[in-house]
């Protein structure tokens, strides 16, 4: 459409009410981040407490086999993420980011409660494992939509020159959710005996997660819709968030999958799998391994906004390329060294090296993906391909690691992580930088661009000379 062509008038209610823009952005970032924190607390606490409840649902066999069973259910949860990405990403594009965010946290609360009350194998046989599986599938459905809704919400709610910083709070809140889970674990390890934790103490974090999710549900109901979505609200709902529309942007969807591959494998290797690796392979005490993970993740969370702000100055590609080069070259030596340490400080130092490298991806991936799509298909475009990549690679990372360990070839997993990062490196080198992309008509007008901007990465590359 020509910029000078007549466009139908938009109803007044499609425009956000006037007010302090900075205050509204801060409220949006806080509200979106708090909900994201609880969502990911519920998601990750499963992995954190698996070493304690694995025997309750999968008795017999050696410890590695029991962990493989619980890791398998952890991976199965990822299979529902593409479904959640499709259903809830579509809902976010059609009915708003706020409504999708509210729905995801409701589903997560129900799932956490199911795990909390699941019967053990001694009481109900394999029924307990079935309840665990159903709850994990529900969590996967929820988290598949959560990523899309929060990534688009946090990115759209940020000022154009601070989107890297604003969107970095997705992984700040994700990591804080994991830290909260580890903090609960550390506290329970000190107030309960090993036997008490194994018998019933592992249920406590899931009860807490269900309660926190209810609190966040109330918070999210008070959030405002983003300006970018409000502009599109006047259009017919069936013109937004459809698979047909996503197919028109299939190149960007494939790009999301490819750039996610290396990042998601590296992230789950150095977060959810790290504690198990330090315990099972390095022979570190459970309490020490948990403390290493907690401290490393706390520093990791602090690095996210710093790296996000840096991307607002230098662009997204330099950080992505730095991550992929570092992960390709450093994974084998870092993981090999971690496998031989048994004390806190060496393990922490090596973990921080790895997580600093991973920051190049985690801090900006939400912004990059959101900047690839126009508003009418942004949530679905971010959600579905990202969820597919996570189902295939992120969710299976821990299982693949344990499979190699069980087969006696643990070091082969390190090469697997490096290979995934190398594939993404090729993508990062070839893709355009998306920092200059306008996410709304208001942003385009403020930047002197056409009133109906093409917000795809190709258009951004043309405006920035492909840099």
């Amino acid at each position: 459409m020509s910029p000078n062509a007549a466009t139908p008038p938009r109803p007044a209610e499609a425009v956000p009410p006037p007010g302090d823009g900075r205050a509204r952005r801060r409220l949006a970032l806080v509200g979106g981040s708090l909900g994201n924190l609880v969502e990911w607390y519920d998601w990750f606490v499963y992995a954190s407490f698996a070493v304690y409840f694995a025997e309750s649902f999968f008795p017999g066999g050696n410890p590695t086999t029991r962990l493989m069973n619980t890791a398998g259910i952890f991976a199965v949860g990822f299979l529902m993420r593409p479904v959640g990405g499709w259903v809830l990403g579509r809902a976010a594009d059609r009915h708003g980011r706020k409504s999708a965010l509210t729905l995801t946290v409701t589903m997560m609360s129900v799932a956490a409660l199911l795990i909390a009350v699941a019967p053990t194998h001694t009481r109900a046989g394999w029924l307990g494992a079935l309840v665990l599986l159903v709850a994990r599938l529900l969590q996967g459905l929820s988290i598949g939509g959560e990523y899309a809704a929060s990534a688009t919400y946090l990115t759209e709610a940020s000022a154009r020159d601070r989107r890297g910083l604003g969107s970095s709070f997705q992984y700040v809140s994700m990591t804080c959710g994991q830290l909260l889970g580890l903090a609960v674990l550390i506290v329970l390890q000190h107030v309960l005996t090993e036997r008490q934790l194994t018998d019933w103490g592992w249920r406590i974090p899931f009860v807490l997660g269900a309660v926190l999710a209810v609190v966040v549900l109330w918070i999210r109901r008070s959030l405002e819709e983003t300006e970018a979505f409000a502009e599109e609200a006047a259009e017919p709902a069936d013109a937004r968030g459809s698979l047909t529309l996503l197919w028109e942007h299939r190149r960007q969807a494939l790009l999301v999958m490819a750039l996610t591959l290396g990042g998601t494998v590296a992230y789950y290797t150095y977060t959810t799998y790290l504690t198990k690796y330090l315990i099972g392979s390095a022979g570190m005490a459970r309490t020490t391994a948990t403390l290493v993970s907690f401290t490393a993740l706390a520093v990791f969370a602090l690095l996210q906004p710093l790296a996000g702000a840096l991307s607002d100055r230098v662009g997204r590609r330099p950080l992505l390329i730095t991550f992929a080069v570092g992960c390709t070259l450093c994974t084998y030596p870092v993981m090999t060294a971690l496998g031989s340490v048994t004390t806190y400080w060496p393990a922490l130092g090596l973990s921080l090296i790895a997580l600093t490298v991973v920051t190049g991806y985690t801090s900006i991936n939400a912004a990059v993906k959101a900047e690839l799509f126009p508003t009418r298909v942004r949530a679905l475009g971010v959600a579905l391909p990202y969820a597919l990549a996570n189902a295939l690679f992120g969710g299976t990372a821990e299982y693949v690691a344990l499979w190699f360990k069980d087969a006696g070839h643990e070091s082969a997993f390190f090469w697997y992580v490096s290979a995934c990062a190398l594939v993404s490196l090729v993508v990062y080198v070839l893709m355009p930088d998306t920092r200059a992309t306008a996410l709304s008509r208001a942003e385009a007008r403020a930047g002197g661009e056409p009133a109906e901007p093409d917000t795809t990465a190709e258009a951004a590359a043309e405006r920035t000379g492909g840099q």
Side-chain angles (χ1 to χ4, degrees):
M1 177 183 289
S2 169
N4 299 320
T7 56
R10 299 184 182 278
E13 63 269 23
V15 181
D20 187 335
R22 289 187 178 180
R24 283 191 288 109
R25 288 191 184 102
R26 290 193 195 102
L27 179 61
L29 291 177
V30 170
S33 297
L34 283 177
N36 202 39
L37 183 155
V38 175
E39 283 269 351
W40 289 96
Y41 162 85
D42 284 330
W43 178 257
F44 280 120
V45 81
Y46 177 97
S48 298
F49 280 83
V51 292
Y52 292 104
F53 66 72
E55 186 178 354
S56 296
F57 297 101
F58 304 101
N62 60 61
T64 300
T65 301
R66 290 197 295 268
L67 282 177
M68 284 181 67
N69 287 328
T70 55
I73 290 183
F74 182 81
V76 165
F78 279 80
L79 298 180
M80 287 300 289
R81 288 178 67 163
V83 179
W86 169 51
V87 174
L88 297 172
R90 185 170 179 264
D93 282 328
R94 294 193 171 198
H95 306 293
R97 319 313 190 200
K98 174 184 171 181
S99 63
L101 287 170
T102 302
L103 180 58
T104 59
V105 78
T106 302
M107 295 167 60
M108 188 60 78
S109 177
V110 173
L113 191 59
L114 278 176
I115 297 177
V117 301
T120 62
H121 187 273
T122 55
R123 291 186 176 182
W126 294 109
L127 176 61
L130 179 61
V131 172
L132 198 67
L133 176 62
V134 171
R136 197 61 188 171
L137 291 174
L138 187 58
Q139 283 189 330
L141 187 67
S142 171
I143 214 71
E146 171 66 23
Y147 180 88
S150 65
T152 53
Y153 187 83
L154 290 172
T155 304
E156 291 177 351
S158 302
R160 185 174 184 177
D161 61 348
R162 295 186 177 182
R163 284 202 300 256
L165 173 61
S167 65
S168 71
F169 281 91
Q170 183 179 46
Y171 267 82
V172 172
S173 55
M174 282 176 60
T175 306
C176 286
Q178 191 169 3
L179 284 172
L180 178 59
L182 286 173
V184 172
L185 176 57
I186 291 171
V187 170
L188 291 178
Q189 285 175 335
H190 283 82
V191 300
L192 298 178
T193 66
E194 188 91 358
R195 189 71 261 169
Q196 288 173 327
L197 263 175
T198 303
D199 288 344
W200 55 267
W202 59 267
R203 298 182 186 273
I204 295 174
F206 296 103
V207 174
L208 177 62
V211 173
L212 289 175
V214 172
V215 174
V216 169
L217 174 62
W218 176 79
I219 295 174
R220 283 190 163 178
R221 292 182 64 182
S222 65
L223 293 177
E224 289 186 10
E225 193 52 82
T226 65
E227 182 179 49
F229 179 80
E231 288 180 345
E232 297 290 331
E235 303 295 338
D238 58 5
R240 305 190 302 269
S242 67
L243 289 176
T244 300
L245 189 56
L246 181 61
W247 179 251
E248 295 176 8
H249 297 83
R250 56 190 176 277
R251 182 177 181 276
Q252 292 94 316
L254 290 173
L255 189 59
V256 168
M257 290 189 67
L259 67 88
T260 299
L261 167 59
T264 190
V265 171
Y267 177 75
Y268 281 99
T269 296
Y270 291 112
T271 55
T272 59
Y273 179 61
L274 180 64
T275 305
K276 297 180 182 66
Y277 180 67
L278 291 174
I279 295 171
S281 297
M284 186 175 289
R286 287 184 178 183
T287 53
T288 305
T290 302
L291 188 58
V292 168
S293 294
F294 182 88
T295 311
L297 285 171
V299 177
F300 178 67
L302 294 175
L303 291 175
Q304 303 308 300
L306 298 177
L310 179 62
S311 78
D312 288 326
R313 291 180 173 272
V314 304
R316 319 297 189 213
R317 286 175 69 247
L319 273 72
L320 291 172
I321 291 172
T322 299
F323 149 70
V325 170
C327 190
T328 300
L329 298 179
C330 296
T331 296
Y332 187 88
V334 168
M335 290 296 287
T336 301
L338 279 169
S340 61
V341 299
T342 56
T343 56
Y344 174 80
W345 288 109
L348 177 61
L350 290 166
S351 300
L352 287 177
I353 290 173
L355 288 173
T356 300
V357 170
V358 175
T359 296
Y361 166 80
T362 55
S363 60
I364 58 172
N365 81 97
V368 173
K369 293 162 188 171
E371 289 165 345
L372 287 170
F373 297 93
T375 304
R376 62 188 180 277
V377 73
R378 184 168 294 134
L380 181 61
V382 170
L384 187 54
Y386 170 81
L388 286 170
N390 266 271
L392 293 172
F393 302 103
T396 58
E398 183 179 336
Y399 190 86
V400 171
L402 291 169
W403 183 85
F404 276 121
K405 175 180 172 63
D406 196 50
H409 303 288
E410 188 168 32
S411 62
F413 175 69
F414 312 156
W415 292 115
Y416 169 77
V417 177
S418 293
C420 291
L422 182 60
V423 173
S424 288
L425 174 60
V426 175
V427 176
Y428 302 152
V429 171
L430 297 177
M431 70 180 287
D433 201 297
T434 59
R435 177 180 51 153
T437 307
L439 296 188
S440 67
R441 297 181 184 89
E443 282 188 354
R445 287 192 296 269
E449 299 163 49
E452 297 280 348
D454 181 354
T455 58
T456 63
E458 289 89 340
E462 292 177 5
R463 292 193 293 272
T464 60
Q467 299 301 313

